[in-house]
Amino acid sequence: MTARNLNIDGQRLLSRLKALGEIGALEGGGVCRLALSDEDRLARDLVTSWMRELGLEVRIDRLGNIVGTRPGVEDGPPVMMGSHIDTVRTGGLYDGSLGVLAGLEVVETLNDAGIATRRPIAVAAFTNEEGARFAPDMMGSLVFEGSMSVEEAHAVTAVDDGTTVGENLARIGYEGVAPCGAPALHAFLELHIEQGPVLDEEGLVIGAVEGVQGISWTEVRVAGVSNHAGTTPMRLRHDAGYVAGATIGFVRELASLIGGDQVATVGRIELYPNLVNVVPGSCTFTVDLRNSDEECLREAEQRLHAFLDDLATREGVEITRHALARFVPTRFDEDMVRLIERSAAALGHSARRLSSGAGHDAQIIARACPAAMIFVPSHRGISHNIDEHTEPDHLVAGANVLLGTLLDLAD
Ligand code: HGY
Ligand code: MN
Ligand code: MN
């Protein structure tokens, strides 16, 4: 059998996605597999067992990044496929998992067909892509690629229980010994659900992703004065909750003001003491700003900072800001984007180019080697939501485009 008329085994891919989705399964659907949680450990155990069954050499680095490698006819830098298996608290079955499991499916298809590729092939599951529990997002690929030190990452504390990345890696038994940084890779491919509405609305199957928009995450801490909700006249208040509320409204207007594809979200908010009859004395909230244009993103950040400075004076509170994550817009390798388009056309799948609204490991690995992404549609553009859904045919189509593109790169 030649490599050209190979197809992945769709049922096998779908059953692995189902099996992985059972780890952290939520009542009523969806998945909660927060980074370095017990559910993440179980998922890691399952994925590494599959890697070993496929004969891959499994390597775990000091941040728990998992890489399974299949030798090529020649030595040298591998072509890597991969993504992440951690999820947000209200995650779906496919965000991240598809990219890792489709990589395993490509390997098993080549094993079944007895096909050896010229270059080695690797499949990666990067630690903590979501950044929901430990910021920044794409932490694992940042450390794997070398932009973030493993020591810095180990020291990051969780928003939920204050424990560190290092403590949790040790607790779940995934602090490996392999060094991090400066990986030797020939190319990197990530298959991922679009998580937006474009492919679904246009009735297309494959996205050849040209790049990822810029991302700015800020944690804002407000120190006001808690006081009695009934006895404190409005003129005497220093209301931390009001600052959060005003900012939520401000960022919505900021997105319209900046225009284009600017998006803005206050996703996490904690009031203290969070009681019905107490003026909030302190508050912590996050602001997520994104734009495909770096200048516009910078303007959005500057306007947010000016708004908060002015609000602090007017409300008589103290506001401190802490950058949780900051990524400039990324362009993927044009030749690889073309390979993806060619592979989709060869399989007869409708396709278009588009940019990614979500952050991905590929945008970090693109700093170490040529990288690109393949998207498949998200039903009604929904993701980071338990109703996240992608048609099985589309999942299989994406994995076949991954196989075709991988073979172009590995031979
Ligand atoms: O936030 C993101 O874009 C990604 O899901 N971590
Ligand atoms: Mn993802
Ligand atoms: Mn995600």
Side-chain angles (χ1 to χ4, degrees):
M1 176 184 293
T2 67
R4 279 299 120 207
N5 57 13
L6 267 186
N7 279 302
I8 63 114
D9 180 329
Q11 278 317 311
R12 189 166 58 193
L13 171 62
L14 298 175
S15 66
R16 281 208 173 101
L17 282 163
K18 185 172 174 302
L20 183 56
E22 279 156 18
I23 301 177
L26 292 166
E27 289 289 310
V31 179
C32 176
R33 218 169 35 231
L34 290 168
L36 307 183
S37 62
D38 290 339
E39 295 77 17
D40 189 14
R41 174 175 52 81
L42 292 171
R44 288 163 170 267
D45 293 348
L46 182 59
V47 167
T48 48
S49 71
W50 282 333
M51 286 183 169
R52 291 189 174 99
E53 280 165 23
L54 293 178
L56 297 181
E57 184 223 333
V58 178
R59 172 188 185 275
I60 299 175
D61 73 15
R62 290 187 55 213
L63 198 72
N65 292 307
I66 300 166
V67 178
T69 304
R70 180 181 196 256
V73 172
E74 297 169 6
D75 288 337
V79 178
M80 178 179 274
M81 300 170 281
S83 193
H84 60 96
I85 56 175
D86 65 301
T87 74
V88 294
R89 195 185 305 282
T90 53
L93 292 179
Y94 309 117
D95 176 359
S97 304
L98 176 62
V100 177
L101 300 187
L104 294 186
E105 176 51 35
V106 165
V107 166
E108 187 153 10
T109 301
L110 295 176
N111 287 354
D112 292 351
I115 289 176
T117 52
R118 183 159 70 89
R119 301 181 198 282
I121 293 173
V123 181
F126 294 109
T127 296
N128 185 32
E129 185 279 342
E130 292 294 357
R133 189 171 174 229
F134 305 96
D137 52 345
M138 286 79 80
M139 180 190 275
S141 41
L142 280 169
V143 172
F144 178 82
E145 175 271 330
S147 291
M148 183 178 193
S149 78
V150 65
E151 292 73 20
E152 189 188 348
H154 275 191
V156 171
T157 53
V159 293
D160 50 11
D161 64 9
T163 55
T164 66
V165 165
E167 287 160 355
N168 282 278
L169 273 171
R171 186 180 62 80
I172 66 170
Y174 274 92
E175 183 184 359
V177 293
C180 301
L185 296 173
H186 176 69
F188 180 77
L189 269 175
E190 182 169 4
L191 169 62
H192 205 287
I193 53 171
E194 178 198 332
Q195 302 182 287
V198 174
L199 295 176
D200 188 49
E201 283 176 353
E202 297 183 14
L204 301 173
V205 176
I206 298 293
V209 187
E210 294 183 295
V212 181
Q213 68 179 340
I215 302 174
S216 161
W217 285 3
T218 304
E219 183 179 78
V220 180
R221 291 174 186 252
V222 185
V225 177
S226 75
N227 225 323
H228 195 296
T231 60
T232 312
M234 297 312 283
R235 60 188 168 80
L236 294 182
R237 293 187 179 206
H238 306 288
D239 183 341
Y242 165 70
V243 170
T247 307
I248 291 172
F250 171 77
V251 297
R252 172 59 67 95
E253 287 153 26
L254 179 64
S256 332
L257 179 81
I258 301 284
D261 55 13
Q262 179 67 48
V263 288
T265 314
V266 172
R268 173 162 65 87
I269 179 168
E270 287 141 23
L271 290 180
Y272 184 80
N274 205 30
L275 298 171
V276 61
N277 56 356
V278 181
V279 177
S282 60
C283 167
T284 300
F285 61 92
T286 56
V287 181
D288 177 326
L289 299 172
R290 306 197 194 194
N291 197 307
S292 56
D293 179 305
E294 174 62 11
E295 285 316 304
C296 292
L297 185 54
R298 272 209 213 123
E299 185 191 344
E301 288 174 317
Q302 282 150 15
R303 288 177 180 273
L304 172 66
H305 299 165
F307 172 79
L308 290 171
D309 292 347
D310 173 57
L311 194 49
T313 310
R314 282 190 289 116
E315 190 61 20
V317 299
E318 202 183 305
I319 295 178
T320 51
R321 298 190 304 264
H322 170 55
L324 292 178
R326 183 60 166 93
F327 301 105
V328 296
T330 305
R331 301 283 303 165
F332 288 135
D333 180 86
E334 175 60 23
D335 291 342
M336 285 185 65
V337 178
R338 272 201 214 109
L339 279 182
I340 291 166
E341 288 178 307
R342 205 176 69 184
S343 177
L347 290 164
H349 294 310
S350 57
R352 61 159 280 175
R353 290 181 175 221
L354 74 173
S355 171
S356 175
H360 297 287
D361 293 311
Q363 76 187 90
I364 306 302
I365 306 300
R367 301 176 186 179
C369 67
M373 294 186 74
I374 303 159
F375 273 175
V376 288
S378 290
H379 181 58
R380 292 181 29 238
I382 290 176
S383 184
H384 285 189
N385 177 317
I386 64 168
D387 292 335
E388 175 181 284
H389 178 69
T390 296
E391 288 302 311
D393 291 352
H394 294 163
L395 298 168
V396 174
N400 275 316
V401 171
L402 179 69
L403 170 62
T405 312
L406 182 277
L407 287 171
D408 283 339
L409 292 162
D411 274 340

